[in-house]
Amino acid sequence: MKKCISAILIIFFLSACGVSTPAPPFLHYKPSKSSNIHIEFDYPSTWLFSEEIEYTDFIVISMGDPRISTVPTRAPNESHGTPSDLGRIGIDIQPVKSGQTLDTLFSEYTQDDEYNWWIKPIDHYKVKMDGHDAFILELQIEPLTSIDGNGFTSQMFSKYIVFIVNNQIYRINFTVAEKERGGEFEQGFDYFFNSLKIVP
């Protein structure tokens, strides 16, 4: 009994002194039952996170390198925000349009685009995402320094993962600076990707 009281007193003392439990290294994202989102995943607790839902079916989930919060806000002449080369992940979810299939999306993403000459396709391949068909497109992106630049300050690596679930298109876009490949942010992405589950 004395040991239990002593333990309680120690816990109370530490709490009173402002000692807090360290944050978990990863957070778990699980959609609410009322939402039309059918994925769940883990992501590093240090990452920036936001979720925007418009008309229930149009959803954007964004995650990013915590250093993004130190980037100055967009100037009036910057159409894409203040340029940076910090890692980011975007998940875009929207309804399938008439005639759209994974094959038509694959053709659309892999066709040559003469207007976006600064984007160089590296590889594309098909995979399974938790039992569902998906394709991955890997790109290399050059920074544009013009007033209508693309928001990057150095050469970037980008990976698109696309799949369809419950008549919704899921587009996951992972982007990181080539100079930071294999670093902490990409390791976090790998953890996120391996934890990704499709739910009813």
Side-chain angles (χ1 to χ4, degrees), residues 1-187:
M1 183 67 175
K2 288 182 179 180
K3 289 182 178 180
C4 290
I5 293 173
S6 298
I8 292 170
L9 288 174
I10 290 170
I11 292 170
F12 176 78
F13 175 75
L14 291 174
S15 300
C17 291
V19 177
S20 59
T21 316
F26 296 96
L27 299 177
H28 183 71
Y29 173 84
K30 186 173 183 178
S32 66
K33 293 181 180 179
S34 60
S35 73
N36 196 18
I37 302 172
H38 299 282
I39 57 171
E40 61 179 67
F41 52 84
D42 297 331
Y43 64 96
S45 59
T46 56
W47 282 5
L48 302 179
F49 180 92
S50 68
E51 181 181 22
E52 297 178 23
I53 300 176
E54 185 177 354
Y55 306 118
T56 307
D57 293 323
F58 293 86
I59 301 132
V60 175
I61 298 172
S62 302
M63 293 168 280
D65 188 311
R67 292 175 294 173
I68 290 174
S69 61
T70 65
V71 176
T73 55
R74 182 173 65 180
N77 64 340
E78 291 171 344
S79 59
H80 293 280
T82 303
S84 76
D85 58 6
L86 300 175
R88 63 203 75 174
I89 296 171
I91 304 174
D92 176 68
I93 306 168
Q94 57 184 267
V96 172
K97 295 178 182 177
S98 177
Q100 278 186 323
T101 65
L102 196 62
D103 286 336
T104 63
L105 289 169
F106 183 75
S107 297
E108 177 186 327
Y109 272 71
T110 53
Q111 68 182 359
D112 291 334
D113 187 351
E114 62 183 80
Y115 298 103
N116 293 325
W117 54 267
W118 39 273
I119 299 177
K120 176 186 175 183
I122 299 174
D123 198 4
H124 58 265
Y125 46 95
K126 296 183 178 182
V127 296
K128 288 284 187 181
M129 286 289 299
D130 199 19
H132 290 71
D133 291 331
F135 70 81
I136 293 179
L137 177 65
E138 296 181 356
L139 307 166
Q140 192 174 72
I141 304 173
E142 298 294 335
L144 296 180
T145 56
S146 64
I147 192 170
D148 294 321
N150 55 9
F152 301 122
T153 55
S154 66
Q155 191 179 74
M156 307 295 287
F157 170 81
S158 186
K159 178 183 288 188
Y160 278 92
I161 301 143
V162 183
F163 55 95
I164 296 176
V165 175
N166 286 11
N167 290 318
Q168 286 179 305
I169 301 170
Y170 287 74
R171 296 181 177 93
I172 301 173
N173 177 217
F174 160 70
T175 305
V176 69
E178 282 284 4
K179 64 185 180 183
E180 293 195 358
R181 291 296 311 276
E184 187 174 343
F185 190 77
E186 187 163 7
Q187 292 172 26

